[in-house]
């Protein structure tokens, strides 16, 4: 039974293990650059995440470098890397995480009947592999996490047996993954309870819960596991992750805070940092947050209906169970306009959680003025879109949009006149298409031929009104590699092309990383500039 009478400091601490940079980044299209990973890791560290799973070091040179750099820069958080159940993976993982003040190796193997069949190991052979690999990891690092992947579909007797073996071999955290998002809250709790009761040595380790959201129950399943004895929640910002994603950090943390009366557990998270990191992850992953997403959605604190607005004006608590400020949302949406100065913009950015260096502020200010010239009132969301636009485009990008004019209307074909700079050289072209966006994308393809396929094209209005900025997301796939680009502009076609170019730049960057210098060799440019 949970004791609800404890004071805050007496309450059990639940560790927050963030896997945005590993399980989240594994989501198709959510690939992040090295610098983006470092920036997100720094924000996670700053917000009080206990353990950051920074990547899967054996997966690629890029993953290895990112995990090592995050390990070196971490100030407070434990830095963890993932490794399969073999010595090579574990050694590589240790090489990357060992630079951290507090390193952790996380090794796993699929223990359910379906997963045992893949390496073709019988129960005894797998048990032996678990013993050997966990012991090997523990000889390298005194902080070892072990996961029986697909635990929620593993036979209970076998699960107890292998958990006991992992504990005896030196695991200090046992993570129980619901890999396919199959479990439900009562079952999630019963499973942890069973392990706590049946496994010798269970009281010497921390049980973790790792839930996927395929049936929309990841948050509820994680919280149920905590009530049954788990003391580490594995989660991602915005619930990013494969398929329907992972448990969302902001949801479990806010649930434990808001309903501390019935779930008396504490975390070390500074919740006022939530909104900022949510925006950052949405931008760099290219996965926008759904409007009605709990805690961080655009509508999470919006009150539209007359009854709700009336209630809110009389007493905010009538319809608000948490204050916007608790998650780092500025209370007011102070409208900015073309007369607002640099100091006002700096103050607004600070409110929104962005502390920019002077040169970055100058750049945003120029773009803010340009936007304010086109748009009477500039809202918070407009400013966030401006910042995100700056984050996604870099001066050293191979492709840069210089000029675009489209002709559209009822009589086709629609036309696009474009100047695109490729490695600093301008190329101009006219193209036609089925609509202005199609014509503009065709122009990009003519100037920079490629065979990347368009997987997603999505447009959102940032604010209300016909002068609203549009944020566009474009996902491209080329030879199995996926990249997502995002951009914002009051002109939807311009935003679309910038997002397309941004996704292409990311693909080019990945190509260059896998074969330095290979990218530009075979590219034929067509131009009549
Ligand atoms: O979902 C899962 O099973 C995982 C493991 C690697 C822990 O992500
Ligand atoms: Zn997972």
């Amino acid at each position: 039974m949970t004791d609800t009478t404890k004071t805050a400091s007496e309450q059990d601490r639940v560790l927050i293990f963030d896997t945005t940079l590993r399980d989240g980044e594994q989501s198709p299209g959510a690939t992040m650059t090295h610098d983006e990973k470092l920036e997100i890791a720094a924000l996670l560290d700053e917000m009080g995440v206990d353990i950051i799973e920074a990547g899967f070091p054996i997966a690629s040179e890029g993953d290895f470098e990112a995990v090592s750099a995050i390990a070196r820069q971490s100030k407070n958080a434990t830095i963890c890397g993932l490794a399969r159940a073999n010595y090579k993976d574990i050694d590589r993982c240790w090489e990357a995480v060992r630079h951290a003040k507090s390193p952790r190796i996380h090794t796993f193997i699929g223990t359910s009947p379906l997963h045992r069949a893949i390496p073709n190991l019988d129960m005894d052979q797998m048990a032996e592999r678990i013993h050997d690999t966990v012991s090997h990891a523990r000889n390298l690092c005194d902080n070892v996490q072990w996961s029986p992947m697909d635990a929620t579909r593993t036979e209970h007797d076998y699960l107890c047996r292998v958990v006991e073996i992992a504990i005896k071999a030196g695991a200090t955290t046992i993570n129980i993954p619901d890999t396919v998002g199959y479990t439900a809250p009562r079952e999630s709790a019963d499973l942890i309870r069973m392990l706590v009761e049946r496994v010798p040595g269970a009281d010497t380790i921390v049980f973790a819960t790792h839930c996927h959201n395929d049936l929309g129950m990841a948050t509820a399943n994680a919280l149920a596991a905590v009530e049954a004895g788990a003391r580490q929640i594995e989660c991602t910002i915005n619930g990013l992750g494969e398929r329907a994603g992972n448990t969302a950090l902001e949801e479990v943390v806010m649930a434990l805070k808001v309903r501390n009366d019935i779930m008396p557990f504490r975390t070390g998270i500074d919740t006022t940092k939530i909104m900022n990191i949510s925006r950052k992850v949405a931008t760099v992953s290219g996965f926008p947050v759904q409007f009605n997403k709990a805690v961080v959605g655009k509508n999470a604190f919006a009150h539209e209906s007359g009854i709700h607005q009336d209630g809110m004006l009389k007493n905010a608590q009538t319809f608000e169970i948490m204050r916007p400020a608790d998650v780092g949302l500025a209370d007011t949406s102070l409208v900015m306009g073309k007369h607002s100065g640099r100091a006002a913009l700096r103050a607004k950015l600070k409110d929104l959680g962005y502390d920019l260096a002077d040169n970055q502020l100058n750049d945003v200010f120029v773009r803010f003025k340009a936007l304010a010239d086109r748009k009477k009132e500039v809202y918070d969301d407009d400013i966030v879109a401006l910042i995100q636009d700056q984050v996604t485009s870099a001066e050293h990008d191979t492709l840069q949009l210089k000029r675009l004019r489209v002709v559209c209307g009822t009589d086709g074909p629609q036309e696009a006149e474009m100047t695109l700079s490729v490695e600093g050289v301008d190329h101009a072209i006219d193209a036609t298409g089925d609509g202005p966006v199609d014509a503009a994308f065709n122009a990009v393809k003519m100037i920079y031929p490629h065979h990347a396929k368009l997987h997603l094209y999505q447009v959102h209005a940032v604010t209300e009104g016909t002068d609203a900025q549009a944020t566009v997301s474009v996902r491209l796939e080329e030879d199995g590699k996926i990249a997502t680009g995002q951009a914002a502009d009051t002109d939807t076609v311009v935003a679309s092309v910038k997002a397309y170019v941004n996704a292409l730049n990311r693909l080019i960057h990945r190509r260059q990383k896998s074969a330095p210098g290979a990218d530009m060799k075979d590219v034929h440019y067509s131009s009549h500039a």
Side-chain angles (χ1 to χ4, degrees), residues 190-355:
D190 288 346
L191 192 61
I192 297 289
R193 213 170 280 124
M194 179 207 59
L195 290 165
V196 170
E197 281 165 10
R198 281 183 53 184
V199 177
D203 55 336
T204 63
I205 53 96
V206 171
F207 276 108
T209 174
H210 176 112
C211 302
H212 282 264
N213 203 30
D214 297 66
L215 293 172
M217 293 190 279
T219 295
N221 290 338
L223 293 172
V226 167
E227 291 195 279
R231 289 294 176 268
Q232 175 178 301
I233 299 179
E234 308 213 350
C235 48
T236 59
I237 301 293
N238 299 339
L240 190 69
E242 286 197 86
R243 308 184 309 277
N246 291 58
T247 300
L249 179 147
E250 63 277 8
E251 292 178 14
V252 282
V253 167
M254 288 313 291
L256 290 177
K257 186 176 165 104
V258 173
R259 295 312 314 271
N260 193 259
D261 55 332
I262 55 164
M263 293 181 285
F265 303 98
R266 60 196 172 92
T267 72
I269 299 293
D270 174 355
T271 63
T272 64
K273 309 253 188 248
I274 285 178
M275 248 1 260
N276 186 26
I277 192 160
S278 161
R279 289 181 185 125
K280 183 85 196 170
V281 169
T283 308
V284 304
S285 67
F287 278 59
V289 175
Q290 81 195 48
F291 281 14
N292 57 338
K293 162 86 180 62
V295 183
V296 291
K298 186 171 151 60
N299 287 357
F301 293 93
H303 302 275
E304 186 73 35
S305 90
I307 295 175
H308 285 211
Q309 282 182 348
D310 188 49
M312 283 294 294
L313 288 173
K314 292 186 175 123
N315 179 354
Q317 284 177 359
T318 47
F319 288 103
E320 226 165 55
I321 57 166
M322 47 196 158
R323 289 170 308 152
D326 293 342
V327 297
L329 255 183
D331 264 342
T332 57
S333 194
L334 177 72
V335 180
M336 310 269 290
K338 65 176 169 192
H339 301 298
S340 309
R342 200 179 298 259
L345 181 65
R346 189 192 281 279
K348 169 58 79 184
L349 287 168
K350 204 148 193 275
D351 256 6
L352 293 171
Y354 298 98
D355 223 344

Side-chain angles (χ1 to χ4, degrees), residues 111-158:
T111 50
S112 66
L114 283 166
H115 283 270
R116 287 199 304 267
I118 297 170
N120 200 14
L121 295 177
D122 67 23
M123 285 180 164
D124 292 338
Q125 288 166 327
M126 181 164 283
E128 201 179 319
R129 170 85 70 92
I130 293 164
H131 174 268
D132 290 351
T133 49
V134 174
S135 306
H136 182 69
R138 186 57 204 259
N139 283 335
L140 298 169
C141 180
D142 60 12
N143 188 339
V144 173
Q145 170 166 329
W146 179 72
S147 296
M149 186 166 74
D150 208 12
T152 51
R153 294 192 299 170
T154 299
E155 304 90 326
H156 285 187
D157 286 348
Y158 190 58

Side-chain angles (χ1 to χ4, degrees), residues 34 42 45 48 70 94 106 131 135 156 206 218 223 270 304 316 363 367 370 407 482 511:
H34 181 87
D45 203 0
I70 291 168
W94 173 240
H106 176 194
H131 174 268
S135 306
H156 285 187
V206 171
L223 293 172
D270 174 355
E304 186 73 35
D363 187 52
R367 286 155 11 87
V407 179
I482 296 180
R511 254 192 260 155

Side-chain angles (χ1 to χ4, degrees), residues 37-148:
K37 287 183 189 174
L38 262 58
E39 218 177 313
I40 288 173
L43 293 175
L44 291 169
D45 203 0
E46 213 179 285
M47 87 188 289
V49 161
D50 299 283
I51 306 109
I52 299 173
E53 188 164 48
F56 190 7
I58 195 95
S60 69
E61 199 50 39
D63 252 57
F64 178 82
E65 280 165 18
V67 178
S68 315
I70 291 168
R72 284 194 171 90
Q73 79 167 18
S74 66
K75 292 198 173 77
N76 306 305
T78 294
I79 303 301
C80 172
L82 186 69
R84 288 166 300 188
N86 65 67
Y87 290 3
K88 209 169 148 207
D89 271 42
I90 293 170
D91 291 347
R92 189 76 175 143
C93 177
W94 173 240
E95 267 308 298
V97 297
R98 72 189 176 89
H99 308 287
K101 283 196 197 104
S102 165
R104 174 181 292 190
I105 297 175
H106 176 194
T107 180
F108 75 100
I109 194 163
T111 50
S112 66
L114 283 166
H115 283 270
R116 287 199 304 267
I118 297 170
N120 200 14
L121 295 177
D122 67 23
M123 285 180 164
D124 292 338
Q125 288 166 327
M126 181 164 283
E128 201 179 319
R129 170 85 70 92
I130 293 164
H131 174 268
D132 290 351
T133 49
V134 174
S135 306
H136 182 69
R138 186 57 204 259
N139 283 335
L140 298 169
C141 180
D142 60 12
N143 188 339
V144 173
Q145 170 166 329
W146 179 72
S147 296

